[in-house]
Amino acid sequence: MIPFNTVSLESEFEKIIDGILTQGYGFSDAIVTPDDVLALNEAFDFRKSTGQFASAAVGQQAGKQVLTEIRGDQICWLPEEGIFPGEALYVSKIQALIEYFNRTCFLGLQDAELHYAEYPVGAFYKRHLDRFRTDSRRKLSVICYLNQQWEPTDGGQLILFPNPARIESILPLGGRLVCFESDVLEHEVLQAQRPRRSLTGWLRTR
């Protein structure tokens, strides 16, 4: 049983779709609640304290490399089994989002791959796309920020490049969910003055 009212979230799902269609990205501050953020941070802390995080790499399979001059975050993939209740609730909301996208936009999404990410002070991720050249399954990128009491002076903004004439800046506020097409929207992560946390993922086709 999904422990929330899916119908109550559909207006937020629609807001995300409208944003993607009109400006290249959509976001909501109402899908993930403050209690959700607290529970996800508790799970984050446990996984970090038990050594489950590692330096993020760029590339795929044999071409994977850790290149801190490109990206400097530490990540932990969310397992399919043995997840905490707060993580299970978040996964349920993402599944509801997938079902809504499929029902209204006929995207044929199958599942999500999710990982925690922490950017230490001064770390960044240079401008990039989220889809691998040899793997077209990633359709939509979904980022949920877990930063509490975040201020503009803390930095760490997500910078989006919808077109050559426009640049957008998103502050990584706790509970903010951002979504965009993985193979279309180039983006980067700026340096932050505090450790910057998120639960990042991709909605994939079969």
Side-chain angles (χ1 to χ4, degrees), residues 37-181:
V37 173
L38 181 62
L40 289 168
N41 269 302
E42 290 175 351
F44 187 113
D45 288 336
F46 176 83
R47 295 190 184 281
K48 186 177 179 182
S49 69
T50 53
Q52 298 181 44
F53 279 72
S55 296
V58 297
Q60 188 181 27
Q61 298 176 351
K64 290 178 67 174
Q65 300 179 73
V66 174
L67 299 173
T68 55
E69 66 269 26
I70 296 177
R71 66 181 297 187
D73 53 324
Q74 301 278 317
I75 67 171
C76 170
W77 290 97
L78 198 65
E80 293 184 4
E81 299 180 355
I83 61 177
F84 293 96
E87 294 171 334
L89 177 58
Y90 179 74
V91 170
S92 294
K93 290 185 176 183
I94 293 300
Q95 185 58 43
L97 179 63
I98 287 173
E99 292 171 0
Y100 189 80
F101 278 151
N102 285 342
R103 189 169 73 249
T104 60
C105 302
F106 310 102
L107 294 182
L109 300 172
Q110 180 72 22
D111 60 17
E113 54 176 350
L114 304 168
H115 69 67
Y116 290 110
E118 181 172 62
Y119 287 80
V121 173
F124 55 86
Y125 196 162
K126 288 188 175 180
R127 184 170 175 172
H128 65 284
L129 287 172
D130 278 347
R131 184 184 290 185
F132 295 119
R133 293 179 181 177
T134 58
D135 186 348
S136 62
R137 290 178 298 167
R138 290 180 177 179
K139 299 298 181 184
L140 294 171
S141 300
V142 179
I143 307 165
C144 173
Y145 294 110
L146 305 179
N147 308 300
Q148 297 172 304
Q149 299 179 333
W150 198 266
E151 300 293 337
T153 53
D154 293 325
Q157 289 88 346
L158 173 69
I159 304 299
L160 305 170
F161 302 91
N163 61 58
R166 198 169 108 245
I167 298 175
E168 300 283 348
S169 177
I170 304 292
L171 198 64
L173 301 177
R176 174 163 290 172
L177 191 77
V178 182
C179 186
F180 51 86
E181 292 180 89

Side-chain angles (χ1 to χ4, degrees), residues 17-25 166:
I17 292 172
D18 287 343
I20 293 172
L21 293 175
T22 59
Q23 61 185 9
Y25 69 95
R166 198 169 108 245

